[in-house]
Amino acid sequence: MINKLTIIGLGLMGGSLAKALKAQQAVSEVVATGRRVESLERGLQLGVIDSYSLDMAEAVADADVVVIATPTLIAEKIMLELAPLMTPNMIVTDVASVKGNIERAAEKIFGEVPSNFVLGHPIAGSEQSGVDAATVDLFLDHRVILTPLENTSGAALSLIQSMWEACGAEVVRMDVAEHDAVLAATSHLPHVLAYTLVDALAQNGAAADIFRFAAGGFRDFTRIASSDPTMWHDIALANQAAILNGIDGFSAHLNKVRAAIASGDGDAIFATFDRAKRARDEHFLGQYLARQKKSPSS
Amino acid sequence: MINKLTIIGLGLMGGSLAKALKAQQAVSEVVATGRRVESLERGLQLGVIDSYSLDMAEAVADADVVVIATPTLIAEKIMLELAPLMTPNMIVTDVASVKGNIERAAEKIFGEVPSNFVLGHPIAGSEQSGVDAATVDLFLDHRVILTPLENTSGAALSLIQSMWEACGAEVVRMDVAEHDAVLAATSHLPHVLAYTLVDALAQNGAAADIFRFAAGGFRDFTRIASSDPTMWHDIALANQAAILNGIDGFSAHLNKVRAAIASGDGDAIFATFDRAKRARDEHFLGQYLARQKKSPSS
């Protein structure tokens, strides 16, 4: 049970966390702070938070847990502002999609990442953004990755883990570099590819026709290109090295597929498509079976 | 009203067409032929067809409409077999995703594409395949593109148009080259990219972890990589030139985005992501509003 939770940056993530914890009665008081008073006012109207303050010092005073829920690059700046306000009894966590840049920023500000700062990343989202899009079940059955460091306090880690578990999430621990590489592959790279494809087509002279005849496959494939561009701009810069690595691996593979199509090498084309289908089906079918197995006892 | 409809190759497309026409009482008799007796037998069990014959001559005898519903490359071979069986009263159409190769194959076989052969492509599908996946509403509110040639019979064209309209589809006419370019951009290229990404990740040493932490965005983005690899192998070869063109346009754009990320050019990254989001939102929101507008009167 958290007595006072302060959310810095009230949007989809922070709002959904507040809703879920309130629904589970896992928090007594939720306070928010941020720069956009409209979001804070809206959060109050919606009952997502109990109060807000534009003054960060006031908002975080006596908080048990402070969640930095701003876009990635702003999170770095927030830490600078938060540093003098942190007390030993306050546990700080974040929800940013990249962990390496947060770790580096914290090291710059504090010398080393404070033991009561737990780096975290809930793997959940939506192409919608803002507190209006917040839902009570955004994290339900989703994974939250925590990337504790050697000096991270066991008590702080355990409290943040409980907080996410109260939202119905499964918490997994991983090291920072592994997290950033895995997320680059499964999330950041697909976003870059989807944005790139839609932008390339939109600049085509026949764009209207192209979009007009797009079917369900295109709709799904490009859904993530409707994500918040500010957030993804931040992620592209924050996880630069791992994303460049992902783009290069993808491009090298695409060149091979291109060569197979150009030379009419049907066997190579089929082998690629077939391996991909098997890998995807096996993965998602595996997940499906695991859920089926889990259901009766849960 | 079609008296006898013959489907060559009974799978998702042919089966769904038969179901829809039967539901609308727009056909009296549906006969199927093909090489896989299991599919034909299953179609009969499911009531999708009224009878079948492994002998194409028997199956198409006295048919008003013959639909070639095999994978793209097999459609070329089917035409060769069908040529001596065609009569002036028989209207032939196909459902292949690429039209240029079908046109070229027909020219090779017949000298010119017969006036009673209407090239067609219903823009509908599923990552499922086979007659078991056939549904009555696969074509409902979907577009069907017909690509008539100069000598195509007006009566034949009009009958095939009515057939698809009876399934609830909107029929659009387009020329062959335009069709193949538009489909390369909106469908064939996305499939190639999705297959390529999943295959690249599956070959990564950390594949298990990568897939384990994949979230909803990845699932949607890669859904089309679960499509039938045989069908997409055929399409990749049949629409070679337009797909290579699409890959090259995409790769050039990806190189620009890569350069922007590598140089930390936040403005260029944001501009790309923002343009893509606007283009996609405008397109799909436009579609949504058009449907809303249409609903009250339909």
Side-chain angles (χ1 to χ4, degrees):
Chain A
M1 177 63 157
I2 298 166
N3 192 30
K4 177 176 171 182
L5 174 81
T6 300
I7 294 169
I8 305 180
L10 188 65
L12 172 70
M13 302 300 271
S16 296
L17 174 62
K19 275 189 162 179
L21 292 177
K22 277 172 169 267
Q24 294 298 318
Q25 301 185 294
V27 67
S28 306
E29 185 191 1
V30 180
V31 178
T33 183
R35 274 175 301 186
R36 286 194 297 191
V37 69
E38 305 78 22
S39 300
L40 299 169
E41 192 57 51
R42 186 77 185 128
L44 199 60
Q45 273 173 19
L46 293 169
V48 171
I49 57 172
D50 299 301
S51 66
Y52 69 83
S53 170
L54 291 168
D55 176 21
M56 190 187 290
E58 190 183 18
V60 304
D62 300 320
D64 302 296
V65 176
V66 174
V67 180
I68 304 174
T70 63
T72 300
L73 294 187
I74 295 172
E76 298 182 13
K77 292 174 200 160
I78 294 292
M79 274 190 291
L80 201 63
E81 220 181 315
L82 183 62
L85 308 172
M86 277 176 72
T87 63
N89 291 329
M90 182 189 291
I91 297 171
V92 179
T93 190
D94 78 313
V95 299
S97 310
V98 185
K99 303 271 59 90
N101 68 312
I102 301 288
E103 183 187 14
R104 287 188 298 273
E107 280 169 356
K108 224 192 293 183
I109 294 165
F110 299 98
E112 69 166 4
V113 182
S115 62
N116 54 339
F117 184 8
V118 181
L119 298 169
H121 175 211
I123 304 185
S126 159
E127 72 275 24
Q128 309 271 302
S129 53
V131 68
D132 280 289
T135 59
V136 72
D137 59 358
L138 185 68
F139 308 112
L140 182 67
D141 291 333
H142 280 67
R143 289 202 172 85
V144 172
I145 302 178
L146 300 180
T147 58
L149 305 168
E150 279 198 15
N151 70 326
T152 302
S153 138
L157 183 57
S158 146
L159 190 134
I160 298 302
Q161 171 149 354
S162 305
M163 177 184 83
W164 288 114
E165 286 171 350
C167 302
E170 180 198 346
V171 174
V172 178
R173 297 178 191 182
M174 209 183 265
D175 79 40
V176 168
E178 187 190 359
H179 169 275
D180 288 358
V182 166
L183 268 289
T186 54
S187 172
H188 309 170
L189 176 60
H191 277 79
V192 168
L193 299 179
Y195 278 129
T196 299
L197 177 69
V198 175
D199 191 39
L201 296 185
Q203 292 184 7
N204 186 306
D209 247 14
I210 285 175
F211 284 120
R212 188 168 159 226
F213 292 98
F218 184 81
R219 194 191 184 97
D220 284 355
F221 185 77
T222 61
R223 183 177 70 79
I224 52 180
S226 283
S227 303
D228 178 15
T230 300
M231 175 180 159
W232 285 94
H233 152 276
D234 281 17
I235 291 172
L237 292 173
N239 204 17
Q240 188 190 47
I243 293 174
L244 291 177
N245 193 35
I247 292 175
D248 293 342
F250 174 81
S251 292
H253 211 61
L254 182 59
N255 281 340
K256 280 190 216 165
V257 174
R258 190 202 183 284
I261 296 174
S263 65
D265 183 350
D267 290 347
I269 296 170
F270 181 81
T272 300
F273 292 0
D274 188 50
R275 273 195 309 264
K277 178 183 167 56
R278 283 167 197 270
R280 187 180 182 281
D281 286 354
E282 191 185 312
H283 167 62
F284 287 113
L285 187 65
Q287 275 199 339
Y288 173 78
L289 293 175
R291 268 199 304 274
Q292 292 288 96
K293 214 171 149 188
K294 199 180 150 193
S295 303
S297 64
S298 70
Chain B
M1 177 63 156
I2 298 166
N3 192 29
K4 177 176 171 182
L5 175 81
T6 301
I7 294 168
I8 306 179
L10 189 65
L12 172 69
M13 301 299 270
S16 296
L17 175 62
K19 276 190 162 180
L21 292 177
K22 278 172 168 267
Q24 293 298 318
Q25 301 185 295
V27 67
S28 306
E29 185 190 359
V30 180
V31 178
T33 182
R35 275 175 300 187
R36 285 194 298 192
V37 69
E38 305 78 23
S39 299
L40 298 169
E41 193 56 53
R42 185 78 185 128
L44 199 61
Q45 274 173 17
L46 293 168
V48 171
I49 57 172
D50 299 302
S51 66
Y52 69 82
S53 170
L54 292 169
D55 175 21
M56 190 188 291
E58 189 182 20
V60 305
D62 301 320
D64 302 296
V65 176
V66 174
V67 180
I68 305 174
T70 62
T72 299
L73 295 186
I74 295 171
E76 299 181 12
K77 293 174 200 160
I78 294 292
M79 274 191 289
L80 201 63
E81 219 181 317
L82 183 63
L85 309 171
M86 275 176 74
T87 64
N89 292 329
M90 183 188 288
I91 296 170
V92 179
T93 191
D94 77 313
V95 300
S97 310
V98 185
K99 303 273 57 90
N101 68 312
I102 301 288
E103 183 187 14
R104 287 188 298 273
E107 280 169 356
K108 224 191 293 182
I109 295 165
F110 300 98
E112 68 167 3
V113 182
S115 62
N116 55 340
F117 184 8
V118 180
L119 298 169
H121 175 211
I123 304 185
S126 161
E127 71 273 26
Q128 309 272 301
S129 53
V131 68
D132 280 290
T135 59
V136 73
D137 60 358
L138 185 67
F139 307 112
L140 182 66
D141 291 334
H142 280 67
R143 289 201 172 86
V144 172
I145 301 178
L146 300 180
T147 59
L149 304 169
E150 278 196 16
N151 71 325
T152 303
S153 139
L157 183 57
S158 147
L159 190 133
I160 297 302
Q161 172 149 351
S162 304
M163 177 183 84
W164 287 114
E165 285 171 351
C167 302
E170 180 198 346
V171 175
V172 178
R173 297 176 190 183
M174 210 183 264
D175 78 38
V176 168
E178 188 190 357
H179 169 276
D180 288 359
V182 166
L183 269 288
T186 54
S187 172
H188 309 171
L189 176 60
H191 277 79
V192 168
L193 299 179
Y195 278 129
T196 299
L197 178 69
V198 175
D199 191 39
L201 296 184
Q203 292 185 8
N204 186 306
D209 246 13
I210 284 176
F211 284 121
R212 187 169 159 227
F213 292 100
F218 183 81
R219 192 189 185 100
D220 284 354
F221 186 78
T222 61
R223 184 178 68 80
I224 52 180
S226 283
S227 303
D228 179 14
T230 300
M231 174 180 159
W232 285 95
H233 152 277
D234 280 17
I235 292 173
L237 292 173
N239 204 17
Q240 187 191 47
I243 293 173
L244 291 177
N245 193 34
I247 292 175
D248 292 343
F250 174 81
S251 290
H253 211 61
L254 183 59
N255 281 339
K256 281 189 216 166
V257 174
R258 189 202 184 283
I261 296 173
S263 65
D265 183 351
D267 291 346
I269 296 169
F270 181 81
T272 301
F273 292 1
D274 188 50
R275 272 195 310 264
K277 177 183 168 55
R278 284 168 196 269
R280 186 180 184 281
D281 286 354
E282 192 186 311
H283 166 61
F284 287 113
L285 187 64
Q287 276 200 340
Y288 172 78
L289 292 175
R291 269 199 304 274
Q292 293 287 96
K293 214 171 148 188
K294 200 180 149 194
S295 305
S297 64
S298 71

